Amino acid sequence: EAQVTQNPRYLITVTGKKLTVTCSQNMNHEYMSWYRQDPGLGLRQIYYSMNVEVTDKGDVPEGYKVSRKEKRNFPLILESPSPNQTSLYFCASSRGRQGGSYEQYFGPGTRLTVT
Amino acid sequence: AQSVTQPDIHITVSEGASLELRCNYSYGATPYLFWYVQSPGQGLQLLLKYFSGDTLVQGIKGFEAEFKRSQSSFNLRKPSVHWSDAAEYFCAVRSAGGSYIPTFGRGTSLIVHP
């Protein structure tokens, strides 16, 4: 089954304790992205990757890191989480060929609470 | 830069009534347009997309949307809403060429009364 998986689904942590949210897709997609969703603000892009070893900042990258060492995986790293990073996080992937109409496939979300 | 506006934060309809969710975009060239639905506790799922051809596109779950270039709009419609349609709906746009980074609207929350 084609899918995007995220782990963990729920996470409660404390300020400053490094964490990683994993994202994996089995569709051989070039393009992967991380979003955060907050009430009234919709989806805001954190980072994206157009292919292996190619990443770039989205709209709200501060406090986050990503890496793309393999095509299927795109982990999101919070080196020193703060309470303002409490949010619902989504990973997404799509085929990346320019000019294609390719839609994004989303993971189920990770709800992060930083106390 | 491309942008998407969903002017309605919340929409309330009665079950069985018709529905129209508005989406306006700003983009200089031909856009690719998408509607996604997010059910409570779920990720986003594609409802339909437009990239060329017939400006009226059909999607899953009985939804349709019409691309109107003159109005820069891509409104989502359904003739008869079911209680299970209660969800958050997102419109998105990306360029037909060049960067394929999409831009999402802020979403419209649909409430369905029995």
Side-chain angles (χ1 to χ4, degrees):
Chain A
E1 178 190 356
Q3 61 182 351
V4 179
T5 56
Q6 294 178 230
N7 282 293
R9 294 288 312 278
Y10 302 91
L11 179 59
I12 300 174
T13 190
V14 296
T15 299
K17 185 175 181 181
K18 180 180 178 180
L19 65 92
T20 299
V21 183
T22 64
C23 173
S24 182
Q25 49 92 5
N26 62 1
M27 295 168 278
N28 200 36
H29 285 166
E30 294 88 357
Y31 177 80
M32 297 187 74
S33 179
W34 276 103
Y35 295 89
R36 61 179 288 174
Q37 183 180 23
D38 302 289
L41 299 178
L43 286 169
R44 294 182 293 169
Q45 191 177 54
I46 303 170
Y47 269 95
Y48 63 93
S49 169
M50 294 193 180
N51 216 323
V52 175
E53 302 291 2
V54 181
T55 63
D56 209 343
K57 296 177 181 179
D59 299 319
V60 288
E62 294 78 19
Y64 303 95
K65 284 176 57 177
V66 294
S67 69
R68 187 92 181 272
K69 293 182 169 48
E70 306 165 283
K71 199 171 187 179
R72 64 184 293 124
N73 296 323
F74 190 46
L76 179 69
I77 303 158
L78 284 71
E79 295 268 4
S80 183
S82 63
N84 65 12
Q85 293 178 298
T86 293
S87 187
L88 179 59
Y89 292 86
F90 287 102
C91 180
S93 73
S94 73
R95 294 183 64 180
R97 187 177 307 156
Q98 291 183 3
S101 66
Y102 308 118
E103 68 270 24
Q104 293 197 84
Y105 292 79
F106 284 82
T110 295
R111 185 164 292 282
L112 172 65
T113 302
V114 183
T115 62
Chain B
Q2 59 198 34
S3 67
V4 178
T5 302
Q6 293 180 246
D8 303 305
I9 298 174
H10 302 284
I11 291 276
T12 301
V13 298
S14 298
E15 191 170 16
S18 63
L19 171 71
E20 182 170 37
L21 302 183
R22 297 183 290 165
C23 172
N24 294 98
Y25 68 91
S26 173
Y27 187 67
T30 302
Y32 289 164
L33 296 156
F34 307 83
W35 274 101
Y36 292 85
V37 60
Q38 182 184 24
S39 298
Q42 308 275 329
L44 278 73
Q45 178 186 20
L46 180 73
L47 277 177
L48 48 78
K49 63 184 178 182
Y50 169 82
F51 57 96
S52 68
D54 193 344
T55 55
L56 183 63
V57 294
Q58 304 296 322
I60 62 171
K61 304 185 181 188
F63 285 92
E64 67 178 26
E66 185 171 13
F67 170 56
K68 293 186 177 180
R69 186 186 300 275
S70 61
Q71 298 177 19
S72 297
S73 69
F74 188 57
N75 294 348
L76 182 71
R77 300 193 295 247
K78 186 169 185 178
S80 178
V81 170
H82 188 262
W83 64 266
S84 61
D85 293 324
E88 190 88 15
Y89 291 81
F90 292 93
C91 182
V93 62
R94 54 152 284 193
S95 61
S99 167
Y100 39 74
I101 302 167
T103 299
F104 283 83
R106 292 193 173 187
T108 298
S109 179
L110 175 64
I111 301 164
V112 180
H113 282 314

